[in-house]
Amino acid sequence: MKFRMIKLALLLPLTALLRCGPAPEPAAAEEAAPPPVVVTEAPPVKHDAVVVVPEPLPMVPPEPEPATELPASEPDAAPVPDPAPELVTETVVVAVEETVETGETTQQPRLIIDEPNPTDMLLDKLERSAADLRDFVADLSYVKWDSVLGRNETRLGELIYQVKPDGTRRFAILLQRLIVSGRARDRSKHYIFDGSWLVEIDHDNKMFLKRQIVPPGRRFDPLKLGEGPFPLPVGQPRDEVRARFDVTLLKSPQDKMLAKQLASRAVDGLLLVPKPDSAQAGDFEQVELFYDRDTALPVGICLTETNGDRKTVILRDLRRNRGVDESKLSIEEPDAREGWNVDITPWQE
Protein backbone atom coordinates (compact mmCIF):
# COMPACT_ATOMS: atom_id res chain seq x y z
CA MET A 1 0.00 0.00 0.00
CA LYS A 2 1.49 3.33 -1.04
CA PHE A 3 1.33 6.39 1.09
CA ARG A 4 2.57 9.82 0.28
CA MET A 5 5.89 10.96 1.70
CA ILE A 6 5.67 13.32 4.63
CA LYS A 7 8.46 15.83 5.26
CA LEU A 8 8.97 16.83 8.85
CA ALA A 9 11.09 19.91 9.52
CA LEU A 10 12.81 19.46 12.84
CA LEU A 11 14.01 22.69 14.40
CA LEU A 12 16.91 22.00 16.71
CA PRO A 13 18.21 24.84 18.93
CA LEU A 14 21.90 25.44 18.79
CA THR A 15 22.12 24.89 22.54
CA ALA A 16 21.37 21.22 21.91
CA LEU A 17 24.42 21.01 19.71
CA LEU A 18 26.95 22.33 22.29
CA ARG A 19 27.92 18.77 23.07
CA CYS A 20 29.85 18.77 19.83
CA GLY A 21 32.49 21.11 21.41
CA PRO A 22 32.82 24.73 22.47
CA ALA A 23 32.40 27.42 19.88
CA PRO A 24 35.45 29.62 19.18
CA GLU A 25 35.61 32.61 21.57
CA PRO A 26 35.65 36.10 20.04
CA ALA A 27 38.97 37.95 20.07
CA ALA A 28 39.48 40.34 22.98
CA ALA A 29 39.23 43.99 22.21
CA GLU A 30 42.80 44.70 23.45
CA GLU A 31 44.40 42.11 21.16
CA ALA A 32 45.62 43.05 17.74
CA ALA A 33 43.59 41.87 14.84
CA PRO A 34 44.97 38.69 13.25
CA PRO A 35 46.66 38.82 9.92
CA PRO A 36 44.70 38.07 6.79
CA VAL A 37 43.58 34.53 6.56
CA VAL A 38 42.30 32.30 3.82
CA VAL A 39 38.65 31.36 4.27
CA THR A 40 38.01 27.65 4.38
CA GLU A 41 34.98 25.59 5.39
CA ALA A 42 35.35 23.29 8.34
CA PRO A 43 34.26 19.68 7.77
CA PRO A 44 30.83 18.70 9.09
CA VAL A 45 30.70 17.32 12.58
CA LYS A 46 28.48 14.24 12.96
CA HIS A 47 26.93 13.56 16.32
CA ASP A 48 23.70 11.86 17.38
CA ALA A 49 22.28 11.80 13.85
CA VAL A 50 22.52 15.65 13.55
CA VAL A 51 24.81 17.27 11.01
CA VAL A 52 26.23 20.67 12.02
CA VAL A 53 27.82 22.76 9.32
CA PRO A 54 29.87 25.60 10.92
CA GLU A 55 29.63 28.96 9.28
CA PRO A 56 32.72 30.16 7.37
CA LEU A 57 35.15 32.42 9.25
CA PRO A 58 34.66 36.15 8.61
CA MET A 59 36.84 37.98 6.13
CA VAL A 60 39.58 40.14 7.78
CA PRO A 61 40.56 43.53 6.26
CA PRO A 62 44.09 43.57 4.85
CA GLU A 63 45.18 46.61 6.96
CA PRO A 64 44.04 46.21 10.56
CA GLU A 65 43.87 49.25 12.80
CA PRO A 66 46.19 49.28 15.85
CA ALA A 67 44.70 48.36 19.18
CA THR A 68 43.97 51.08 21.70
CA GLU A 69 45.16 50.66 25.27
CA LEU A 70 42.61 51.42 27.95
CA PRO A 71 43.59 53.54 31.00
CA ALA A 72 44.42 51.49 34.06
CA SER A 73 41.94 53.48 36.16
CA GLU A 74 39.00 52.59 33.96
CA PRO A 75 37.08 49.41 34.76
CA ASP A 76 37.35 46.44 32.52
CA ALA A 77 35.18 46.53 29.46
CA ALA A 78 31.90 44.66 29.68
CA PRO A 79 32.17 41.14 28.33
CA VAL A 80 30.84 40.60 24.87
CA PRO A 81 27.71 38.40 25.13
CA ASP A 82 27.59 35.18 23.22
CA PRO A 83 25.60 35.40 20.03
CA ALA A 84 22.03 34.18 20.20
CA PRO A 85 21.73 30.50 19.32
CA GLU A 86 20.71 29.82 15.79
CA LEU A 87 18.11 27.30 14.75
CA VAL A 88 19.45 24.59 12.52
CA THR A 89 16.88 22.77 10.40
CA GLU A 90 17.17 19.21 9.28
CA THR A 91 14.77 17.50 6.92
CA VAL A 92 13.79 13.96 7.79
CA VAL A 93 11.80 11.97 5.26
CA VAL A 94 9.56 9.33 6.79
CA ALA A 95 8.12 6.76 4.41
CA VAL A 96 5.59 4.21 5.55
CA GLU A 97 6.76 0.67 4.95
CA GLU A 98 10.25 1.92 4.00
CA THR A 99 13.45 2.17 6.04
CA VAL A 100 14.34 5.63 7.33
CA GLU A 101 17.96 6.27 8.32
CA THR A 102 18.89 9.14 10.63
CA GLY A 103 22.59 9.20 11.38
CA GLU A 104 23.54 5.83 12.79
CA THR A 105 19.99 4.93 13.84
CA THR A 106 17.71 2.90 11.57
CA GLN A 107 13.94 3.12 12.09
CA GLN A 108 11.17 1.26 10.32
CA PRO A 109 7.89 3.08 11.02
CA ARG A 110 4.77 1.26 9.89
CA LEU A 111 1.19 2.47 9.58
CA ILE A 112 -1.49 -0.20 9.51
CA ILE A 113 -4.91 0.88 8.26
CA ASP A 114 -7.93 -1.34 7.69
CA GLU A 115 -9.22 -0.20 4.34
CA PRO A 116 -13.04 -0.30 4.36
CA ASN A 117 -14.74 -2.81 2.08
CA PRO A 118 -16.82 -0.91 -0.54
CA THR A 119 -19.53 -3.59 -0.48
CA ASP A 120 -19.86 -3.40 3.30
CA MET A 121 -19.90 0.39 3.11
CA LEU A 122 -22.92 0.26 0.79
CA LEU A 123 -24.71 -2.33 2.93
CA ASP A 124 -24.12 -0.16 6.00
CA LYS A 125 -25.42 2.88 4.16
CA LEU A 126 -28.61 1.04 3.19
CA GLU A 127 -29.12 -0.10 6.77
CA ARG A 128 -28.64 3.41 8.21
CA SER A 129 -30.97 4.97 5.65
CA ALA A 130 -33.95 3.16 7.16
CA ALA A 131 -33.38 4.55 10.66
CA ASP A 132 -35.86 7.41 10.14
CA LEU A 133 -37.95 5.85 7.39
CA ARG A 134 -41.69 6.03 8.07
CA ASP A 135 -43.00 5.33 4.59
CA PHE A 136 -42.36 5.63 0.89
CA VAL A 137 -44.56 5.46 -2.19
CA ALA A 138 -43.51 4.84 -5.79
CA ASP A 139 -44.91 4.09 -9.24
CA LEU A 140 -44.20 0.48 -10.10
CA SER A 141 -43.55 -1.59 -13.21
CA TYR A 142 -43.49 -5.34 -12.70
CA VAL A 143 -42.24 -7.45 -15.60
CA LYS A 144 -42.25 -11.25 -15.62
CA TRP A 145 -40.31 -13.09 -18.28
CA ASP A 146 -41.61 -16.61 -19.00
CA SER A 147 -38.71 -18.71 -20.28
CA VAL A 148 -41.04 -21.45 -21.57
CA LEU A 149 -43.41 -19.19 -23.50
CA GLY A 150 -40.65 -16.75 -24.38
CA ARG A 151 -42.68 -13.64 -23.62
CA ASN A 152 -43.01 -10.80 -21.12
CA GLU A 153 -46.00 -9.96 -18.97
CA THR A 154 -45.95 -6.40 -17.66
CA ARG A 155 -48.08 -4.94 -14.90
CA LEU A 156 -48.22 -1.27 -13.93
CA GLY A 157 -49.29 0.12 -10.59
CA GLU A 158 -48.18 1.55 -7.26
CA LEU A 159 -46.06 0.41 -4.33
CA ILE A 160 -46.75 1.58 -0.77
CA TYR A 161 -44.45 0.76 2.14
CA GLN A 162 -45.05 1.85 5.73
CA VAL A 163 -43.29 1.37 9.08
CA LYS A 164 -45.62 2.00 12.03
CA PRO A 165 -44.37 3.44 15.36
CA ASP A 166 -44.39 -0.04 16.95
CA GLY A 167 -42.13 -1.38 14.19
CA THR A 168 -44.84 -3.20 12.24
CA ARG A 169 -44.22 -3.12 8.49
CA ARG A 170 -47.07 -2.90 6.00
CA PHE A 171 -47.05 -2.77 2.23
CA ALA A 172 -49.39 -2.76 -0.71
CA ILE A 173 -48.76 -3.56 -4.37
CA LEU A 174 -51.66 -2.14 -6.34
CA LEU A 175 -51.56 -3.33 -9.96
CA GLN A 176 -53.93 -1.57 -12.36
CA ARG A 177 -52.87 -2.41 -15.94
CA LEU A 178 -51.70 -5.54 -17.74
CA ILE A 179 -49.59 -5.58 -20.91
CA VAL A 180 -49.07 -8.87 -22.79
CA SER A 181 -47.47 -9.11 -26.25
CA GLY A 182 -47.75 -5.35 -26.62
CA ARG A 183 -51.49 -5.28 -25.86
CA ALA A 184 -52.58 -3.32 -22.77
CA ARG A 185 -55.82 -3.55 -20.81
CA ASP A 186 -57.09 -2.58 -17.37
CA ARG A 187 -56.66 -5.36 -14.85
CA SER A 188 -56.95 -4.50 -11.15
CA LYS A 189 -55.18 -6.82 -8.76
CA HIS A 190 -54.02 -5.83 -5.27
CA TYR A 191 -51.65 -7.45 -2.77
CA ILE A 192 -51.75 -6.05 0.76
CA PHE A 193 -49.85 -7.10 3.87
CA ASP A 194 -50.67 -5.60 7.27
CA GLY A 195 -47.93 -7.21 9.36
CA SER A 196 -49.74 -10.51 9.88
CA TRP A 197 -52.31 -11.01 7.13
CA LEU A 198 -51.62 -11.18 3.41
CA VAL A 199 -54.57 -10.33 1.19
CA GLU A 200 -54.97 -10.85 -2.55
CA ILE A 201 -57.83 -8.94 -4.18
CA ASP A 202 -58.86 -9.64 -7.76
CA HIS A 203 -61.37 -6.92 -8.57
CA ASP A 204 -62.22 -8.21 -12.04
CA ASN A 205 -63.20 -11.66 -10.77
CA LYS A 206 -64.36 -10.46 -7.33
CA MET A 207 -62.02 -12.76 -5.46
CA PHE A 208 -60.88 -11.87 -1.92
CA LEU A 209 -58.27 -14.24 -0.43
CA LYS A 210 -57.01 -13.52 3.08
CA ARG A 211 -54.25 -15.61 4.71
CA GLN A 212 -52.63 -15.12 8.09
CA ILE A 213 -48.98 -15.86 7.27
CA VAL A 214 -47.41 -14.59 10.52
CA PRO A 215 -48.37 -16.05 13.88
CA PRO A 216 -49.89 -13.66 16.43
CA GLY A 217 -47.32 -11.74 18.44
CA ARG A 218 -44.54 -12.04 15.88
CA ARG A 219 -43.21 -9.53 13.37
CA PHE A 220 -42.37 -10.13 9.76
CA ASP A 221 -40.81 -8.00 7.04
CA PRO A 222 -42.53 -8.97 3.78
CA LEU A 223 -39.80 -7.47 1.62
CA LYS A 224 -36.87 -8.92 3.54
CA LEU A 225 -34.31 -10.94 1.65
CA GLY A 226 -34.95 -14.64 2.08
CA GLU A 227 -38.32 -14.23 3.78
CA GLY A 228 -40.75 -12.27 1.66
CA PRO A 229 -42.27 -13.46 -1.62
CA PHE A 230 -40.20 -10.90 -3.51
CA PRO A 231 -36.95 -9.55 -2.10
CA LEU A 232 -36.89 -5.77 -1.98
CA PRO A 233 -34.86 -5.12 1.18
CA VAL A 234 -35.12 -1.83 3.02
CA GLY A 235 -32.77 -1.35 5.98
CA GLN A 236 -31.81 -5.01 6.31
CA PRO A 237 -28.69 -5.49 8.50
CA ARG A 238 -25.46 -6.18 6.63
CA ASP A 239 -24.68 -9.34 8.60
CA GLU A 240 -28.05 -10.86 7.73
CA VAL A 241 -27.50 -10.25 4.04
CA ARG A 242 -23.99 -11.70 4.08
CA ALA A 243 -25.15 -14.74 6.07
CA ARG A 244 -27.44 -15.82 3.22
CA PHE A 245 -25.81 -14.42 0.10
CA ASP A 246 -22.47 -13.86 -1.57
CA VAL A 247 -22.54 -10.11 -2.21
CA THR A 248 -20.61 -8.07 -4.77
CA LEU A 249 -20.95 -4.56 -6.16
CA LEU A 250 -22.59 -3.94 -9.52
CA LYS A 251 -21.80 -0.83 -11.55
CA SER A 252 -24.65 -1.41 -14.01
CA PRO A 253 -27.50 -3.91 -14.41
CA GLN A 254 -26.91 -7.19 -16.18
CA ASP A 255 -30.57 -7.37 -17.14
CA LYS A 256 -31.06 -5.45 -20.40
CA MET A 257 -34.48 -4.07 -19.48
CA LEU A 258 -33.27 -2.86 -16.11
CA ALA A 259 -30.16 -1.36 -17.68
CA LYS A 260 -32.28 0.63 -20.14
CA GLN A 261 -34.61 1.98 -17.45
CA LEU A 262 -31.82 2.99 -15.06
CA ALA A 263 -29.35 4.33 -17.65
CA SER A 264 -29.94 7.98 -16.76
CA ARG A 265 -30.21 7.56 -12.99
CA ALA A 266 -27.49 7.72 -10.33
CA VAL A 267 -27.69 4.34 -8.62
CA ASP A 268 -25.64 1.92 -6.50
CA GLY A 269 -25.93 -1.77 -7.30
CA LEU A 270 -25.46 -5.13 -5.58
CA LEU A 271 -25.41 -8.66 -6.95
CA LEU A 272 -26.62 -11.31 -4.51
CA VAL A 273 -26.06 -15.03 -5.08
CA PRO A 274 -27.62 -17.43 -2.55
CA LYS A 275 -25.13 -19.48 -0.58
CA PRO A 276 -25.30 -23.18 -1.52
CA ASP A 277 -26.58 -24.20 1.93
CA SER A 278 -29.20 -21.45 2.19
CA ALA A 279 -32.93 -21.94 1.75
CA GLN A 280 -32.91 -19.45 -1.15
CA ALA A 281 -30.52 -21.56 -3.23
CA GLY A 282 -33.44 -23.66 -4.49
CA ASP A 283 -35.61 -20.63 -5.31
CA PHE A 284 -33.45 -18.37 -7.45
CA GLU A 285 -29.97 -18.14 -8.90
CA GLN A 286 -29.24 -14.47 -8.30
CA VAL A 287 -30.83 -11.11 -7.67
CA GLU A 288 -29.69 -7.67 -8.84
CA LEU A 289 -30.56 -4.79 -6.53
CA PHE A 290 -30.21 -1.10 -7.34
CA TYR A 291 -30.74 1.83 -5.00
CA ASP A 292 -31.07 5.55 -5.54
CA ARG A 293 -27.74 7.11 -4.58
CA ASP A 294 -29.31 10.05 -2.71
CA THR A 295 -32.23 8.44 -0.86
CA ALA A 296 -30.84 4.87 -0.63
CA LEU A 297 -34.32 3.60 -1.53
CA PRO A 298 -34.74 0.67 -3.95
CA VAL A 299 -35.36 1.64 -7.56
CA GLY A 300 -34.75 -1.59 -9.44
CA ILE A 301 -34.53 -5.32 -8.94
CA CYS A 302 -34.12 -8.33 -11.21
CA LEU A 303 -34.54 -11.82 -9.81
CA THR A 304 -33.47 -14.81 -11.91
CA GLU A 305 -35.12 -18.07 -10.89
CA THR A 306 -33.55 -21.50 -11.17
CA ASN A 307 -35.86 -22.39 -14.10
CA GLY A 308 -34.72 -19.36 -16.13
CA ASP A 309 -37.75 -17.14 -15.45
CA ARG A 310 -37.02 -13.52 -14.48
CA LYS A 311 -38.95 -11.03 -12.38
CA THR A 312 -38.06 -7.37 -12.76
CA VAL A 313 -39.35 -4.47 -10.68
CA ILE A 314 -38.72 -0.81 -11.58
CA LEU A 315 -39.73 2.00 -9.22
CA ARG A 316 -40.17 5.63 -10.29
CA ASP A 317 -41.18 8.89 -8.68
CA LEU A 318 -40.29 7.84 -5.13
CA ARG A 319 -41.88 9.86 -2.30
CA ARG A 320 -40.22 9.40 1.09
CA ASN A 321 -41.89 10.16 4.45
CA ARG A 322 -44.81 12.05 2.90
CA GLY A 323 -47.56 9.92 4.40
CA VAL A 324 -49.73 7.26 2.79
CA ASP A 325 -53.38 6.78 1.91
CA GLU A 326 -54.54 4.45 4.69
CA SER A 327 -57.52 3.29 2.65
CA LYS A 328 -55.13 1.62 0.20
CA LEU A 329 -53.74 -0.50 3.03
CA SER A 330 -57.13 -1.70 4.24
CA ILE A 331 -57.71 -5.48 4.43
CA GLU A 332 -61.37 -5.23 5.34
CA GLU A 333 -63.46 -8.00 3.76
CA PRO A 334 -65.96 -6.99 1.08
CA ASP A 335 -69.65 -7.86 1.34
CA ALA A 336 -70.25 -11.38 0.01
CA ARG A 337 -73.79 -10.34 -0.89
CA GLU A 338 -72.36 -8.12 -3.60
CA GLY A 339 -71.02 -11.13 -5.47
CA TRP A 340 -67.62 -11.39 -3.83
CA ASN A 341 -66.01 -14.75 -3.18
CA VAL A 342 -64.38 -14.34 0.25
CA ASP A 343 -61.90 -16.89 1.60
CA ILE A 344 -60.25 -16.30 5.00
CA THR A 345 -57.66 -18.66 6.52
CA PRO A 346 -56.28 -17.94 10.02
CA TRP A 347 -52.78 -18.96 11.12
CA GLN A 348 -52.25 -22.68 11.39
CA GLU A 349 -49.35 -24.42 13.14
Side-chain angles (χ1 to χ4, degrees), residues 108-121:
Q108 292 182 335
R110 289 186 176 272
L111 180 62
I112 301 176
I113 298 178
D114 284 336
E115 187 172 350
N117 185 306
T119 304
D120 287 342
M121 290 177 64

Side-chain angles (χ1 to χ4, degrees), residues 82-95:
D82 292 337
E86 298 180 359
L87 295 181
V88 180
T89 63
E90 180 184 10
T91 300
V92 178
V93 178
V94 179

Side-chain angles (χ1 to χ4, degrees), residues 161-162 168-172 193-195 198 213-214 219-225 227-232:
Y161 183 84
Q162 182 187 54
T168 301
R169 286 168 167 79
R170 303 197 297 171
F171 85 94
F193 177 74
D194 76 336
L198 177 64
I213 62 174
V214 180
R219 292 180 181 174
F220 175 72
D221 186 350
L223 301 182
K224 188 175 183 179
L225 285 169
E227 293 188 6
F230 199 92
L232 195 63

Side-chain angles (χ1 to χ4, degrees), residues 203-279:
H203 291 267
D204 294 338
N205 297 313
K206 289 196 172 183
M207 295 285 297
F208 184 92
L209 304 178
K210 186 176 182 179
R211 302 284 186 271
Q212 189 175 20
I213 62 174
V214 180
R218 292 184 58 186
R219 292 180 181 174
F220 175 72
D221 186 350
L223 301 182
K224 188 175 183 179
L225 285 169
E227 293 188 6
F230 199 92
L232 195 63
V234 177
Q236 187 166 350
R238 176 190 68 187
D239 293 342
E240 290 187 6
V241 177
R242 284 202 172 276
R244 300 181 180 184
F245 301 92
D246 294 325
V247 188
T248 55
L249 291 179
L250 269 183
K251 292 184 178 180
S252 59
Q254 298 177 351
D255 181 72
K256 294 181 179 179
M257 179 180 298
L258 197 60
K260 181 179 179 181
Q261 294 296 327
L262 300 181
S264 60
R265 304 173 68 173
V267 296
D268 294 315
L270 293 171
L271 176 64
L272 279 61
V273 178
K275 293 184 178 296
D277 57 347
S278 66

Side-chain angles (χ1 to χ4, degrees), residues 313-327:
V313 173
I314 301 169
L315 301 178
R316 304 180 186 84
D317 190 21
L318 277 74
R319 286 88 75 189
R320 188 179 194 273
N321 290 342
R322 300 185 187 179
V324 300
D325 185 345
E326 293 289 341
S327 65

Side-chain angles (χ1 to χ4, degrees), residues 14 17-18 20-26 82-83:
L14 186 58
L17 307 179
L18 295 180
C20 299
E25 298 180 358
D82 292 337

Side-chain angles (χ1 to χ4, degrees), residues 29-30 67-78:
E30 65 272 13
T68 303
E69 295 184 0
L70 298 175
S73 58
E74 293 183 5
D76 295 338

